Amino acid sequence: MTAEHSHGPPPGSASAPLPPADVRRVACVGAGVIGGGWVAHFLARGYDVTAWDPGPGAEEKLRRLVEAAWPALEQLGLAEGASTDRLTVTSTLQEAVAAAEFVQESAPEKLELKRSLLAELDAAAPPGVVIASSTSGYPMTDMQTEAADPGRLLVGHPFNPPYLIPLVEVVGGETTRPEAVEWASRFYETAGKSVITMDRELPGFIANRLQEALWREALHMVANGEATVREIDDSITEGPGLRWAFMGPCLTFALAGGEGGMAHMLDHFGPSLKSPWTRLEAPELDAPLRDAMVEGCDEAAAGRTIAQLVAERDQGVIDVLRATGRLPRSGSAGQTPGERGAQAAQGDESGEGERRT
Ligand SMILES: NC(=O)C1=CN([C@@H]2O[C@H](COP(=O)(O)OP(=O)(O)OC[C@H]3O[C@@H](n4cnc5c(N)ncnc54)[C@H](O)[C@@H]3O)[C@@H](O)[C@H]2O)C=CC1
Ligand SMILES: C[N+](C)(C)CC(=O)CC(=O)[O-]
């Protein structure tokens, strides 16, 4: 614990957190699919991690998740000293965050729960320590209403699994301090993530807004019997998904215009935007659609268990990262948080080195 933390100003005032590269202790609150994934990520990057989750059997589930993720993380390259032994599961939220230098909240996606939990975390965490929510869609403005110091609360939206997918979308709410947003972006970069820092709140942020459009159309097609789950998945993995791993949809479509690039692509295909391809209202998620999706996914899984699919996905993501030159630079992945701090002190605070080869 730094002097800053133990003798900081009272909660509610703006106290400066540690420099991002000096952070050693991270708390993860809520340790399901995403919280557990964050725990695995931070452990692999050499942090000391405390976790708290009130769910039945939460510690056992969390340790199982971390163990299942570890082989993939070993392939990526662990930071020196990284160990699953550096995980402490606490029996109270207060213990989990008492000495934390950064807090990642990953509790269920329920607005009232998030509001009161974030207020509780704000009351328990050392002053100034930044608290990020993994929410996949709530604006922080709606979640920070009950906290005494809402200025340190922000969204750090990850992608599943957070230990393999680099992106985090960082955005504050109306009362978040801009310095907290800046701090969190630097911290995530130091911790090996790829960050998009948003300057305004958008429903679903950027990536979920895009994913949601695709997902809505997929549900329409299943609901109407127009395509099966397998056809929908194959249409992406055998089609556009191959390009999207290394070139986004805009630049990809610019190539659809040939030598004329995006200008020709828009002149040629732009008018078809008005074609009735999309159904912008979300379909009713009724029982028949739910059953069709569940049955379709069972069929697509073809007998593979969730654990097998997770291992298959993890290997697939690693293969893609490797093939597109995005495994952490050798040496960088093996750095401890302390070494990264030293590097930052020497002037490389970009975090770029941890993110790209
Ligand atoms: N599952 C996904 O693909 C993604 C989820 N997220 C977000 O991450 C957050 C967590 O979602 P998942 O991990 O999928 O859910 P989950 O259901 O797998 O895990 C939630 C965990 O929170 C625990 N919990 C329940 N009440 C709690 C409380 N009061 N305080 C702390 N923990 C509590 C539960 O015991 C459970 O282990 C949500 O905000 C979600 O929107 C973000 C990106 C992707
Ligand atoms: C399904 N989801 C909306 C919770 C997904 C995300 O938020 C991000 C992801 O992992 O794709």
Side-chain angles (χ1 to χ4, degrees), residues 33-256:
V33 172
I34 289 301
W38 275 119
V39 168
H41 176 77
F42 288 125
L43 287 172
R45 291 286 167 159
Y47 292 92
D48 291 311
V49 180
T50 47
W52 177 73
D53 187 306
E59 175 166 0
E60 197 203 325
K61 284 186 210 159
L62 169 61
R63 292 195 184 274
R64 249 197 341 256
L65 187 156
V66 171
E67 212 158 283
W70 211 249
L73 290 162
E74 283 173 330
Q75 283 193 60
L76 285 180
L78 299 175
E80 206 183 312
S83 167
T84 54
D85 293 344
R86 295 175 79 162
L87 169 62
T88 305
V89 179
T90 66
S91 50
T92 65
L93 168 154
Q94 284 73 16
E95 277 175 87
V97 304
E101 292 156 348
F102 173 71
V103 178
Q104 183 79 40
E105 170 274 310
S106 309
E109 191 76 351
K110 294 182 185 149
L111 185 56
E112 277 311 321
L113 185 155
K114 296 270 195 201
R115 267 190 196 138
S116 56
L117 177 60
L118 287 169
E120 238 184 301
L121 289 172
D122 173 49
V129 163
V130 170
I131 300 169
S133 172
S134 296
T135 181
S136 42
Y138 294 132
M140 183 44 79
T141 297
D142 293 349
M143 295 191 293
Q144 65 194 162
T145 48
E146 292 173 15
D149 180 11
R152 56 163 154 175
L153 303 180
L154 47 85
V155 170
H157 176 237
F159 291 78
N160 191 34
Y163 55 85
L164 290 183
I165 304 290
L167 183 61
V168 186
E169 294 171 308
V170 178
V171 62
E174 274 168 18
T175 53
T176 304
R177 283 186 289 281
E179 310 86 71
V181 173
E182 176 61 21
W183 186 96
S185 297
R186 296 286 81 75
F187 168 70
Y188 282 127
E189 284 173 355
T190 305
K193 304 299 287 183
S194 214
V195 177
I196 292 180
T197 308
M198 298 173 63
D199 65 3
R200 70 201 66 189
E201 293 183 286
L202 293 179
F205 320 118
I206 297 173
N208 269 2
R209 180 167 165 182
L210 292 168
Q211 290 201 115
E212 196 64 25
L214 189 73
W215 180 230
R216 193 172 48 230
E217 296 306 318
L219 292 179
H220 269 298
M221 286 191 272
V222 171
N224 296 335
E226 294 163 337
T228 64
V229 164
R230 194 189 287 256
E231 285 167 338
I232 288 166
D233 278 357
D234 287 352
S235 77
I236 296 299
T237 57
E238 297 297 306
L242 281 173
R243 303 183 298 219
W244 287 342
F246 56 91
M247 189 179 280
C250 301
L251 210 47
T252 293
F253 268 11
L255 301 187

Side-chain angles (χ1 to χ4, degrees), residues 65 68-73 75-76 160-161 163-165 307-321:
L65 187 156
W70 211 249
L73 290 162
Q75 283 193 60
L76 285 180
N160 191 34
Y163 55 85
L164 290 183
I165 304 290
Q308 285 169 328
L309 289 167
V310 165
E312 205 175 299
R313 176 206 58 197
D314 284 6
Q315 191 56 54
V317 174
I318 287 175
D319 291 346
V320 169
L321 289 173

